Amino acid sequence: MNINIEPYISVVPRVFHTGKSQKITIKSKHDFVHLKGVYSVSILPRYEYQYNSELGTAHYDSFDVEAVNNELSFYYEFGVEQEYNIFVEPHDKTGRNVQGVKTSVYALDSDLYGKKVMKGDLHLHTTFSDGLETPEHRAVVARKNGFDFIAITDHNNYLGSIHLREKMDRCKTNMIFIRGEEVHAAKCPVHILSLGANKAIAPQVTEITDEQKQILLDLVDLYSGKVDEKVDIRAFVAAMDVFNKIKDAGGVSVLCHIYWDAVDTMHHNRMGAPEQLINALVNECKFDAFEITSGAPESDLKANYLQEIYYREKLPMNFPIIGITDSHTTLEAMTIFGKNYTIAFTDDRSEMGVLNALRQGLTVSVDGVGSNVICHGSLRLVKYASFLRERFYQRHDELARLEALLMERVLNENYDYISLVETVCDDNNMLMNEEWKVIM
């Protein structure tokens, strides 16, 4: 019987720089797995390879490597950015079980090599608006789902995100807590996320002072005649003003759930933003990112499908995107929390690192609601994210769940666990660093 022992081995490293000869080591993680003798190694590119019409295939020669001290080591240069499948078979195939290895690694060009990989949800509600749980409870459950960052974005309330950062100050974690709010300007149906701003935006746009009234009038003068007559100009400039204010506060603005289907049947009111208003805002494109995957339930995914098509047809190519849940609870029967998220490729593990990745379009939206998981973004990043979902996140998420259980103890005021949380976080980083140091 041929057995793939990949779960029992480590591949060091898993991510490589293209165009450089680098050492690859395959070694056992358990004392019951023994690598000995000579092995045949084949490395096959997954996406781009040289097809030979005479052979009717793309053939790649294998090479032999002898195991030393329960390890296989060899040097290899990956020429093109992509995933590479590695097949390892022993020369000696006698015995009941022939133990081989089928695994893969990824090679990156210099601009992406060294980027940290983080995932999280940037649109969450708590008891600071209409959510069921506290910000700190959301943080614990987020870590149980393997999230590295979250943004608390309560309706017109910046304080939930500040509360969480203050609450987590005394509990060291491997998570980043991003300041945020979901802004609804006065007399404007457009919902806009403010992420990482250095101050609250909602108070500036929900109470129309004389100063604010003049700002809006000036914007009306600026855009009059430039916007389709079917568009309510006052709602349009109110949204444009929110984008401006978020930028001035150093934040990232996100256009939210444009196909949110909300109806007040009792009063016969249609809520949400009409498409012609969204089109006008997209034509100006003063926001920083687009919420392509929103909080649509599994029973009605139409909104997400429409947003995906709208993004392809209306937004500039590779415009920054996020995937979120817009969830108001973590109760499993009432939420899709943990199924949709954003993967960000950052320079460092910080709030600014996530925000800059978003500004630069270095994000992938993951839509996990429904029968299949779908990634959205540039083809290059989606290929890489797909590899990470298969190879990196299973182990990453297992370790994150352990951190979350201890975080919960500390947040329940069992402060004796603070040092243990720190120790576990450090140990988890060390465990992940062996194979994945370049992205940690």
Side-chain angles (χ1 to χ4, degrees), residues 270-284:
R270 180 66 175 87
M271 298 178 289
E275 194 168 59
Q276 66 268 30
L277 174 55
I278 295 298
N279 289 340
L281 295 172
V282 168
N283 287 340
E284 295 297 327

Side-chain angles (χ1 to χ4, degrees), residues 16-27:
F16 295 83
H17 195 303
T18 55
K20 294 184 178 181
S21 179
Q22 293 172 269
K23 185 179 181 180
I24 304 174
T25 299
I26 299 173
K27 57 185 179 180

